[in-house]
Amino acid sequence: MSWSGEASRLCAEALRDWLPFMNQGIDPFVSSQDISKGERGLDKIASKLQDSSFGIVCVTRENQHAPWVNFEAGALSRELGESMLAPFLLDLEVKDLSGPVAQFQATESTSRDEVWTLVKCLNEKCETVIGSDRLQVTFDRFWGDIEDKLNAIRESRPSPSIPQRDTPEILNELVALVRDQTSRINSLTTQISQIQEENQTPRYVINDPSAVTINTHNESREGSILFLRRIIADIVRPENVVETQIKTEEYADLVVTVTEEGFRIAQASVTQLQSSASKVGVSAVIKSVLGSGNSVVLAPF
């Protein structure tokens, strides 16, 4: 279960304690509770990603754009597939969800029916599947417990300052997204047709964050990683880059170690860096050479 922020953590911990009542085969992992003192946190999380068969991302209004939530959502979807990842919305509705996590089928925690659907999905992934009638009885008996805990988390927080999105705004966003995707598909189709006419083997290479071209080499993934490495170096300045590692850690394609000055620049430029990482589909972690424990995490979407 992925979380970011106090309310999201409390939500994840409440689900961790409650879900095994639905089926004892459910074995939740929450980093705040299941990483022992002295363990390498990121290594433990990477190991659990490989062992898991379902992922839940606890989303609030404040954290839906948080780099860590989006990074873990991307890692989970890549390991498990999109159908195995469920954003769990603590204090917002599906229509108000935006950002990368909006592409997944979300569960509104205030809806008993939607939480019941999530429980059924989890039950189906267990080695021992509990019959629907028996599961329904268990859910009805324990629903009040999780409902009370989630309500208490919501009530303990100040009223959200983020306004709810109007229907016209949502529709306009959907229309813009569809038009953008259609334009991209048409452009790619035209370029692929031209390549095929020349009897060349196509490959996609990102030459610029806003453009996609095609040539005949077969190194697109490595090229995308090298491209993002160059972008990061340009933004934090080359003299601040201490070391770069490609695919040396399971949880990121690229790890860049920078000076303290470079790390401050990366923190201030996280939006620009995340945009570049999303466009090339590469995950990255930017660390300070001082090893302060903080990192700038870039999601691959």
Side-chain angles (χ1 to χ4, degrees):
M1 295 186 205
S2 175
W3 60 272
S4 177
E6 180 69 8
S8 177
R9 176 183 65 80
L10 293 173
C11 177
E13 292 175 352
L15 288 173
R16 172 185 179 272
D17 296 336
W18 182 76
L19 284 173
F21 287 108
M22 303 298 103
N23 186 319
Q24 293 184 359
I26 299 175
D27 182 21
F29 172 82
V30 178
S31 60
S32 62
Q33 297 293 316
D34 299 311
I35 298 179
S36 302
K37 297 296 183 184
E39 284 191 287
R40 294 180 180 272
L42 290 176
D43 290 345
K44 184 69 174 287
I45 291 173
S47 174
K48 283 296 180 180
L49 279 175
Q50 294 183 335
D51 296 338
S52 298
S53 56
F54 203 94
I56 295 176
V57 182
C58 295
V59 183
T60 65
R61 286 187 177 275
E62 290 80 7
N63 79 1
Q64 60 178 311
H65 300 294
W68 179 250
V69 163
N70 291 320
F71 172 78
E72 275 203 320
L76 281 166
S77 66
R78 186 162 55 185
E79 290 286 343
L80 308 177
E82 292 186 9
S83 62
M84 309 302 176
L85 180 63
F88 191 82
L89 312 185
L90 177 65
D91 59 355
L92 70 163
E93 299 177 5
V94 172
K95 68 181 181 64
D96 297 316
L97 184 63
S98 60
V101 293
Q103 64 186 291
F104 304 106
Q105 281 296 119
T107 298
E108 293 183 8
S109 63
T110 55
S111 170
R112 177 178 178 140
D113 290 340
E114 290 199 18
V115 177
W116 165 238
T117 300
L118 176 63
V119 167
K120 288 191 292 183
C121 291
L122 286 167
N123 179 57
E124 292 171 359
K125 302 300 176 186
C126 293
E127 184 174 346
T128 301
V129 178
I130 295 177
S132 179
D133 292 342
R134 180 182 166 194
L135 186 67
Q136 179 74 66
V137 171
T138 305
F139 178 82
D140 291 341
R141 182 170 299 174
F142 287 95
W143 164 250
D145 295 342
I146 192 65
E147 183 180 35
D148 290 344
K149 287 184 178 180
L150 295 177
N151 283 336
I153 296 170
R154 298 186 195 99
E155 291 169 2
S156 66
R157 307 174 65 226
S159 300
S161 58
I162 303 175
Q164 297 218 345
R165 303 171 74 198
D166 295 329
T167 299
E169 179 188 351
I170 298 171
L171 292 176
N172 288 337
E173 180 179 316
L174 289 174
V175 170
L177 287 172
V178 170
R179 287 175 175 170
D180 179 65
Q181 291 298 318
T182 301
S183 176
R184 289 174 179 267
I185 291 172
N186 290 338
S187 176
L188 287 173
T189 301
T190 300
Q191 294 181 59
I192 290 172
S193 298
Q194 293 173 349
I195 293 276
Q196 290 175 337
E197 289 176 0
E198 298 171 1
N199 294 321
Q200 294 178 325
T201 302
R203 176 182 86 94
Y204 300 84
V205 177
I206 309 297
N207 295 318
D208 182 86
S210 61
V212 176
T213 60
I214 299 178
N215 61 37
T216 59
H217 299 287
N218 191 29
E219 303 169 351
S220 60
R221 183 63 182 168
E222 182 179 353
S224 296
I225 295 174
L226 294 176
F227 171 78
L228 182 60
R229 183 177 67 175
R230 187 172 71 250
I231 289 294
I232 292 173
D234 289 344
I235 290 176
V236 305
R237 296 200 294 267
E239 63 270 20
N240 289 324
V241 176
V242 177
E243 181 185 20
T244 60
Q245 297 172 289
I246 297 176
K247 292 188 175 180
T248 58
E249 303 190 34
E250 296 180 359
Y251 57 89
D253 299 316
L254 176 64
V255 179
V256 182
T257 304
V258 299
T259 64
E260 190 67 11
E261 173 65 19
F263 189 71
R264 284 195 292 269
I265 296 174
Q267 288 180 309
S269 309
V270 66
T271 300
Q272 182 181 359
L273 290 166
Q274 178 58 65
S275 176
S276 298
S278 299
K279 288 182 183 297
V280 297
V282 173
S283 61
V285 174
I286 303 175
K287 299 179 178 180
S288 169
V289 72
L290 298 182
S292 60
N294 294 326
S295 301
V296 173
V297 181
L298 307 178
F301 60 91

